[in-house]
Amino acid sequence: MKYKENDVDYILDLFENNYRTKRIYSEGNWIRRIKEFDFNKVFKAEVFYNRKGQPFLRRNINEETNAIEDIYLLSENKHFKNNKELGSYFLSNLIEDTSDNIIVCDGTGSLDKIIGTNHSHIQKYAVMHTTHKTPQGKIKKVEENVLNNSESLTGVVFLTQDYINDVEIEYNLQNSYLIPNFIKEIPENHKPSGNKIIGCISRLVEGKGFDLLINVAKLVINKDPEIEFHIYGEGSHKEKIKEMIINNNLENNVKLFGYTTNPYETLSDFRCVLSTSQSEVQSLSMIEGMLAGKPIIAFDIKYGPSQFVFNNRNGYLIPNKDTLSMAEAIIDIMKDDSKYVDYGEESRRIVLKEFDPDNIMNKWISTFNKNK
């Protein structure tokens, strides 16, 4: 038996001939779930219980693929082949079929549950937060599923016009809408930084171009060894980045700081915000940097940066993978205090106008009203 910190919730393992057969999850006096295992220690099924101690749902697990293959809604005497069917059933029963009601699929992995309901009047939308292709051109099946099923939706919402232009003809989209994300927390105060710090806030994953960032850092530091590159974030690529830093003898100038819980306080130390990412739609970290009054230096990739980064206006939009030009832009913004302040102020003006919460909410409301 394993207790949690409050000693009220616990996990109880049941064994038979030294083999675990069940794992019981409890919250107080309520047994809420029991997992079942075979004698090869393979997870094969689980049963969920209500607060009266009655089982209401059982899920069977394919022991080879680990996929859910059968779901029994015991409380209603119904059987479903998978989570998609179960989700569609509940949505159909929970939401009245009227055009005043709206479902927004914010995670594309849930699309099949939404289009599988029996509604004929309700409004259904999917939001494309990311592209349907990797930087190498490989199709991402979950995102492409939205594009292939657009006719089953009231609308598909995109964050940039460039993305709409690229997929509209190929996938015969007749119901695309441009509605960017907005920033909820907008700092009232911002000030220039005298630090020689280039900042990057990002998930540390493949596709964010950290190999390119290291190459840029080498070029910059050769010209000005006082400049530092501060990288904030966590992710599966972190150890690889550490290895690149060490292999290039950049430990004193390129530093990893982990995840930041206060991005605006972190941004206040930066001279500018750098993005070497190879895959973006609408970069939150760049937009936060603009709100903090920072110039942005980014590679011109599909589809996000060109929407809000303008050359020699609020930063530099660099031809993709042109590390030499990016290094020169960094040196330029470091040397020219007047340009640094002007670009930072323009960054803030652009983002406040483009991503104003009221304007973006009005776009959503207008879209909903149009499709009633």
Side-chain angles (χ1 to χ4, degrees):
M1 185 177 290
K2 301 175 183 178
Y3 284 95
K4 294 186 179 179
E5 290 182 5
N6 56 17
D7 287 338
V8 175
D9 302 342
Y10 62 85
I11 296 172
L12 177 66
D13 285 332
L14 300 182
F15 287 82
E16 191 173 319
N17 295 327
N18 290 325
Y19 291 97
R20 182 176 65 185
T21 58
K22 292 182 179 180
R23 168 163 280 189
I24 300 171
Y25 295 82
S26 166
E27 292 184 15
N29 294 322
W30 168 38
I31 292 177
R32 59 183 180 85
R33 179 170 59 145
I34 296 179
K35 282 186 173 183
E36 300 174 6
F37 301 84
D38 66 16
F39 285 104
N40 292 317
K41 302 179 183 180
V42 176
F43 174 38
K44 66 178 184 178
E46 59 185 342
V47 180
F48 295 84
Y49 294 79
N50 64 22
R51 291 185 181 274
K52 294 180 181 179
Q54 300 164 331
F56 69 88
L57 187 142
R58 178 183 177 86
R59 301 199 298 194
N60 291 344
I61 313 298
N62 186 301
E63 296 182 18
E64 293 183 0
T65 65
N66 206 34
I68 296 170
E69 58 182 7
D70 284 297
I71 300 175
Y72 298 90
L73 188 60
L74 306 173
S75 57
E76 299 186 26
N77 196 30
K78 291 188 176 295
H79 168 257
F80 306 95
K81 288 185 289 187
N82 48 48
N83 266 334
K84 183 190 79 173
E85 288 189 1
L86 176 66
S88 295
Y89 171 77
F90 270 104
L91 288 172
S92 297
N93 284 273
L94 286 170
I95 306 173
E96 184 182 355
D97 190 15
T98 167
S99 63
D100 286 330
N101 284 334
I102 300 158
I103 300 177
V104 178
C105 179
D106 205 47
T108 49
S110 296
L111 180 79
D112 289 340
K113 298 175 185 176
I114 288 168
I115 63 177
T117 70
N118 58 18
H119 299 117
S120 56
H121 298 96
I122 195 168
Q123 296 186 51
K124 300 177 181 180
Y125 299 88
V127 182
M128 294 292 287
H129 286 288
T130 185
T131 63
H132 68 294
K133 292 182 180 179
T134 67
Q136 295 75 33
K138 185 179 179 181
I139 294 292
K140 295 187 278 186
K141 292 182 180 179
V142 173
E143 283 71 25
E144 190 184 47
N145 189 38
V146 175
L147 303 177
N148 285 330
N149 288 281
S150 62
E151 74 282 352
S152 300
L153 297 164
T154 310
V156 181
V157 176
F158 295 84
L159 305 184
T160 69
Q161 185 61 49
D162 286 346
Y163 193 7
I164 295 176
N165 295 342
D166 272 6
V167 298
E168 220 167 16
I169 296 175
E170 181 181 356
Y171 291 92
N172 192 30
L173 290 176
Q174 305 293 322
N175 53 354
S176 57
Y177 294 91
L178 173 62
I179 308 178
N181 288 331
F182 64 79
I183 303 297
K184 187 175 179 181
E185 296 180 10
I186 298 176
E188 293 183 5
N189 301 314
H190 65 285
K191 59 182 180 179
S193 170
N195 298 326
K196 285 191 170 185
I197 296 173
I198 308 300
C200 173
I201 300 176
S202 171
R203 288 184 298 118
L204 307 187
V205 295
E206 191 173 5
K208 294 297 183 179
F210 285 105
D211 55 334
L212 299 168
L213 187 149
I214 295 298
N215 289 336
V216 170
K218 285 195 296 183
L219 293 169
V220 169
I221 292 162
N222 281 339
K223 289 194 173 184
D224 188 342
E226 293 183 356
I227 295 176
E228 295 184 3
F229 290 75
H230 290 189
I231 302 171
Y232 286 82
E234 295 289 347
S236 58
H237 215 51
K238 187 173 184 177
E239 291 304 315
K240 180 67 175 177
I241 298 169
K242 283 183 180 177
E243 184 180 318
M244 287 190 289
I245 293 170
I246 293 170
N247 289 343
N248 287 279
N249 299 314
L250 296 172
E251 297 96 321
N252 294 329
N253 296 84
V254 181
K255 301 176 181 180
L256 296 174
F257 287 90
Y259 183 77
T260 176
T261 58
N262 193 335
Y264 291 116
E265 184 177 317
T266 300
L267 285 160
S268 66
D269 289 333
F270 297 169
R271 178 77 167 190
C272 66
V273 172
L274 185 71
S275 174
T276 53
S277 177
Q278 297 297 291
S279 177
E280 292 291 343
V281 174
Q282 185 181 312
S283 169
L284 176 62
S285 63
M286 279 192 269
I287 292 171
E288 287 175 336
M290 293 171 70
L291 285 169
K294 304 298 176 182
I296 309 296
I297 301 177
F299 283 136
D300 187 10
I301 59 166
K302 292 182 176 182
Y303 289 95
S306 61
Q307 183 184 3
F308 45 80
V309 180
F310 303 97
N311 248 335
N312 299 312
R313 182 177 162 194
N314 69 316
Y316 299 92
L317 201 57
I318 308 296
N320 193 25
K321 299 185 180 181
D322 185 349
T323 54
L324 179 59
S325 293
M326 180 169 275
E328 290 172 349
I330 290 171
I331 295 296
D332 184 54
I333 209 71
M334 280 291 180
K335 288 181 177 179
D336 194 329
D337 288 341
S338 177
K339 185 181 288 186
Y340 160 60
V341 173
D342 290 345
Y343 283 9
E345 292 293 336
E346 183 64 11
S347 271
R348 187 172 166 88
R349 281 192 291 269
I350 290 170
V351 80
L352 287 175
K353 179 181 178 182
E354 182 74 19
F355 302 102
D356 177 74
D358 290 336
N359 290 342
I360 292 171
M361 285 306 301
N362 285 336
K363 288 183 180 181
W364 277 106
I365 293 167
S366 175
T367 300
F368 297 153
N369 289 337
K370 173 185 175 182
N371 291 309
K372 273 190 178 182

Short mmCIF file of all heavy atoms in Angstrom, two decimals, residues 216 274-275 277-278 296-301 305 309-311 315-330:
data_model
loop_
_atom_site.label_atom_id
_atom_site.label_comp_id
_atom_site.label_asym_id
_atom_site.label_seq_id
_atom_site.Cartn_x
_atom_site.Cartn_y
_atom_site.Cartn_z
N VAL A 216 25.22 30.64 -34.63
CA VAL A 216 25.09 32.09 -34.53
C VAL A 216 25.90 32.61 -33.34
O VAL A 216 26.62 33.61 -33.44
CB VAL A 216 23.61 32.50 -34.39
CG1 VAL A 216 23.48 33.98 -34.03
CG2 VAL A 216 22.84 32.20 -35.67
N LEU A 274 15.62 36.21 -29.56
CA LEU A 274 16.13 35.50 -30.73
C LEU A 274 15.30 34.25 -30.98
O LEU A 274 14.94 33.53 -30.04
CB LEU A 274 17.59 35.10 -30.50
CG LEU A 274 18.33 34.46 -31.68
CD1 LEU A 274 18.59 35.50 -32.76
CD2 LEU A 274 19.64 33.85 -31.19
N SER A 275 15.00 33.97 -32.26
CA SER A 275 14.34 32.72 -32.61
C SER A 275 15.02 32.10 -33.83
O SER A 275 15.08 32.71 -34.90
CB SER A 275 12.86 32.95 -32.93
OG SER A 275 12.27 31.75 -33.41
N SER A 277 13.97 28.99 -34.59
CA SER A 277 13.03 27.89 -34.79
C SER A 277 12.78 27.64 -36.26
O SER A 277 12.74 28.55 -37.08
CB SER A 277 11.70 28.21 -34.08
OG SER A 277 10.76 27.18 -34.32
N GLN A 278 12.57 26.36 -36.57
CA GLN A 278 12.25 25.95 -37.94
C GLN A 278 10.78 25.57 -38.09
O GLN A 278 10.35 25.18 -39.18
CB GLN A 278 13.12 24.75 -38.33
CG GLN A 278 14.61 25.07 -38.34
CD GLN A 278 14.95 26.13 -39.37
OE1 GLN A 278 14.88 25.87 -40.57
NE2 GLN A 278 15.32 27.31 -38.93
N ILE A 296 12.95 41.89 -32.07
CA ILE A 296 12.92 40.46 -32.36
C ILE A 296 13.84 40.18 -33.55
O ILE A 296 13.80 40.87 -34.56
CB ILE A 296 11.50 39.99 -32.71
CG1 ILE A 296 10.49 40.43 -31.64
CG2 ILE A 296 11.47 38.47 -32.88
CD1 ILE A 296 10.72 39.85 -30.27
N ILE A 297 14.67 39.14 -33.41
CA ILE A 297 15.51 38.68 -34.52
C ILE A 297 15.13 37.22 -34.77
O ILE A 297 15.29 36.38 -33.88
CB ILE A 297 17.00 38.82 -34.21
CG1 ILE A 297 17.35 40.28 -33.90
CG2 ILE A 297 17.84 38.30 -35.37
CD1 ILE A 297 18.80 40.49 -33.50
N ALA A 298 14.59 36.93 -35.96
CA ALA A 298 14.07 35.59 -36.22
C ALA A 298 14.32 35.19 -37.66
O ALA A 298 14.41 36.03 -38.56
CB ALA A 298 12.57 35.55 -35.93
N PHE A 299 14.41 33.88 -37.88
CA PHE A 299 14.49 33.36 -39.24
C PHE A 299 13.11 33.46 -39.89
O PHE A 299 12.09 33.25 -39.25
CB PHE A 299 14.96 31.91 -39.25
CG PHE A 299 16.44 31.73 -39.02
CD1 PHE A 299 16.92 30.75 -38.16
CD2 PHE A 299 17.35 32.53 -39.68
CE1 PHE A 299 18.28 30.56 -37.96
CE2 PHE A 299 18.73 32.37 -39.49
CZ PHE A 299 19.18 31.39 -38.63
N ASP A 300 13.11 33.77 -41.18
CA ASP A 300 11.86 33.92 -41.93
C ASP A 300 11.39 32.54 -42.38
O ASP A 300 11.69 32.08 -43.47
CB ASP A 300 12.08 34.83 -43.13
CG ASP A 300 10.78 35.16 -43.85
OD1 ASP A 300 9.72 34.83 -43.31
OD2 ASP A 300 10.85 35.73 -44.95
N ILE A 301 10.61 31.89 -41.52
CA ILE A 301 10.09 30.55 -41.81
C ILE A 301 8.58 30.62 -41.93
O ILE A 301 7.94 31.61 -41.57
CB ILE A 301 10.48 29.56 -40.69
CG1 ILE A 301 9.92 30.04 -39.35
CG2 ILE A 301 11.98 29.36 -40.63
CD1 ILE A 301 9.94 29.01 -38.26
N PRO A 305 6.62 34.17 -38.01
CA PRO A 305 7.38 35.40 -37.74
C PRO A 305 7.05 36.57 -38.65
O PRO A 305 6.99 37.72 -38.19
CB PRO A 305 8.84 34.96 -37.90
CG PRO A 305 8.83 33.50 -37.59
CD PRO A 305 7.51 33.00 -38.11
N VAL A 309 7.00 40.39 -37.34
CA VAL A 309 8.38 40.89 -37.32
C VAL A 309 8.66 41.55 -38.66
O VAL A 309 8.51 40.92 -39.72
CB VAL A 309 9.40 39.76 -37.06
CG1 VAL A 309 10.82 40.33 -37.04
CG2 VAL A 309 9.09 39.04 -35.75
N PHE A 310 9.05 42.82 -38.62
CA PHE A 310 9.27 43.59 -39.85
C PHE A 310 10.69 44.14 -39.86
O PHE A 310 11.11 44.81 -38.91
CB PHE A 310 8.25 44.72 -39.96
CG PHE A 310 6.82 44.23 -39.91
CD1 PHE A 310 6.09 44.25 -38.72
CD2 PHE A 310 6.21 43.72 -41.05
CE1 PHE A 310 4.79 43.79 -38.67
CE2 PHE A 310 4.90 43.27 -41.02
CZ PHE A 310 4.19 43.29 -39.82
N ASN A 311 11.39 43.85 -40.95
CA ASN A 311 12.79 44.23 -41.09
C ASN A 311 12.99 45.73 -40.89
O ASN A 311 12.27 46.55 -41.49
CB ASN A 311 13.30 43.84 -42.47
CG ASN A 311 14.33 42.74 -42.38
OD1 ASN A 311 14.99 42.57 -41.35
ND2 ASN A 311 14.48 41.98 -43.44
N GLY A 315 12.72 44.89 -35.65
CA GLY A 315 13.72 43.84 -35.52
C GLY A 315 14.24 43.44 -36.88
O GLY A 315 14.28 44.24 -37.81
N TYR A 316 14.62 42.15 -36.99
CA TYR A 316 15.19 41.66 -38.23
C TYR A 316 14.57 40.30 -38.57
O TYR A 316 14.56 39.38 -37.74
CB TYR A 316 16.71 41.50 -38.12
CG TYR A 316 17.43 42.79 -37.81
CD1 TYR A 316 17.70 43.16 -36.49
CD2 TYR A 316 17.84 43.65 -38.83
CE1 TYR A 316 18.36 44.34 -36.21
CE2 TYR A 316 18.50 44.83 -38.57
CZ TYR A 316 18.76 45.17 -37.25
OH TYR A 316 19.41 46.35 -36.97
N LEU A 317 14.08 40.18 -39.80
CA LEU A 317 13.59 38.92 -40.32
C LEU A 317 14.67 38.39 -41.27
O LEU A 317 14.89 38.95 -42.34
CB LEU A 317 12.27 39.14 -41.06
CG LEU A 317 11.34 37.94 -41.25
CD1 LEU A 317 10.97 37.31 -39.91
CD2 LEU A 317 10.09 38.36 -42.00
N ILE A 318 15.35 37.34 -40.83
CA ILE A 318 16.55 36.86 -41.52
C ILE A 318 16.20 35.70 -42.46
O ILE A 318 15.43 34.81 -42.07
CB ILE A 318 17.60 36.38 -40.49
CG1 ILE A 318 17.85 37.46 -39.43
CG2 ILE A 318 18.89 35.97 -41.17
CD1 ILE A 318 18.46 38.72 -39.95
N PRO A 319 16.75 35.67 -43.69
CA PRO A 319 16.55 34.50 -44.55
C PRO A 319 16.89 33.22 -43.78
O PRO A 319 17.89 33.16 -43.07
CB PRO A 319 17.53 34.73 -45.70
CG PRO A 319 17.66 36.22 -45.77
CD PRO A 319 17.59 36.70 -44.35
N ASN A 320 16.02 32.22 -43.91
CA ASN A 320 16.15 31.04 -43.07
C ASN A 320 17.53 30.38 -43.18
O ASN A 320 18.07 30.19 -44.27
CB ASN A 320 15.07 30.02 -43.44
CG ASN A 320 14.96 28.92 -42.40
OD1 ASN A 320 15.31 29.12 -41.24
ND2 ASN A 320 14.49 27.76 -42.80
N LYS A 321 18.08 30.09 -42.02
CA LYS A 321 19.36 29.40 -41.83
C LYS A 321 20.57 30.24 -42.23
O LYS A 321 21.69 29.73 -42.24
CB LYS A 321 19.37 28.06 -42.58
CG LYS A 321 18.31 27.08 -42.10
CD LYS A 321 18.42 25.74 -42.77
CE LYS A 321 17.35 24.79 -42.26
NZ LYS A 321 17.44 23.45 -42.89
N ASP A 322 20.36 31.53 -42.48
CA ASP A 322 21.48 32.43 -42.79
C ASP A 322 22.08 32.90 -41.47
O ASP A 322 21.79 33.99 -40.98
CB ASP A 322 21.00 33.60 -43.64
CG ASP A 322 22.14 34.51 -44.11
OD1 ASP A 322 23.27 34.34 -43.62
OD2 ASP A 322 21.89 35.40 -44.94
N THR A 323 22.92 32.08 -40.89
CA THR A 323 23.45 32.35 -39.56
C THR A 323 24.37 33.58 -39.55
O THR A 323 24.43 34.31 -38.55
CB THR A 323 24.21 31.13 -39.02
OG1 THR A 323 25.21 30.74 -39.97
CG2 THR A 323 23.27 29.97 -38.78
N LEU A 324 25.08 33.82 -40.64
CA LEU A 324 25.96 34.98 -40.70
C LEU A 324 25.16 36.27 -40.63
O LEU A 324 25.51 37.19 -39.87
CB LEU A 324 26.80 34.94 -41.98
CG LEU A 324 27.76 36.11 -42.20
CD1 LEU A 324 28.76 36.20 -41.04
CD2 LEU A 324 28.49 35.98 -43.53
N SER A 325 24.07 36.36 -41.39
CA SER A 325 23.23 37.57 -41.36
C SER A 325 22.58 37.75 -40.00
O SER A 325 22.42 38.88 -39.51
CB SER A 325 22.16 37.51 -42.45
OG SER A 325 22.74 37.56 -43.73
N MET A 326 22.22 36.64 -39.37
CA MET A 326 21.62 36.74 -38.03
C MET A 326 22.65 37.26 -37.03
O MET A 326 22.34 38.11 -36.18
CB MET A 326 21.06 35.40 -37.59
CG MET A 326 20.42 35.42 -36.20
SD MET A 326 19.49 33.92 -35.80
CE MET A 326 17.90 34.28 -36.55
N ALA A 327 23.88 36.77 -37.13
CA ALA A 327 24.94 37.24 -36.22
C ALA A 327 25.20 38.73 -36.43
O ALA A 327 25.37 39.49 -35.45
CB ALA A 327 26.21 36.43 -36.46
N GLU A 328 25.21 39.18 -37.67
CA GLU A 328 25.42 40.60 -37.96
C GLU A 328 24.29 41.46 -37.40
O GLU A 328 24.51 42.56 -36.91
CB GLU A 328 25.56 40.80 -39.47
CG GLU A 328 26.86 40.23 -40.03
CD GLU A 328 26.90 40.26 -41.55
OE1 GLU A 328 25.83 40.53 -42.17
OE2 GLU A 328 27.98 40.01 -42.12
N ALA A 329 23.05 40.94 -37.46
CA ALA A 329 21.91 41.67 -36.91
C ALA A 329 22.04 41.83 -35.40
O ALA A 329 21.72 42.88 -34.83
CB ALA A 329 20.61 40.95 -37.26
N ILE A 330 22.51 40.78 -34.74
CA ILE A 330 22.69 40.85 -33.29
C ILE A 330 23.75 41.89 -32.93
O ILE A 330 23.55 42.71 -32.02
CB ILE A 330 23.09 39.45 -32.75
CG1 ILE A 330 21.90 38.50 -32.85
CG2 ILE A 330 23.56 39.55 -31.29
CD1 ILE A 330 22.24 37.05 -32.54
#
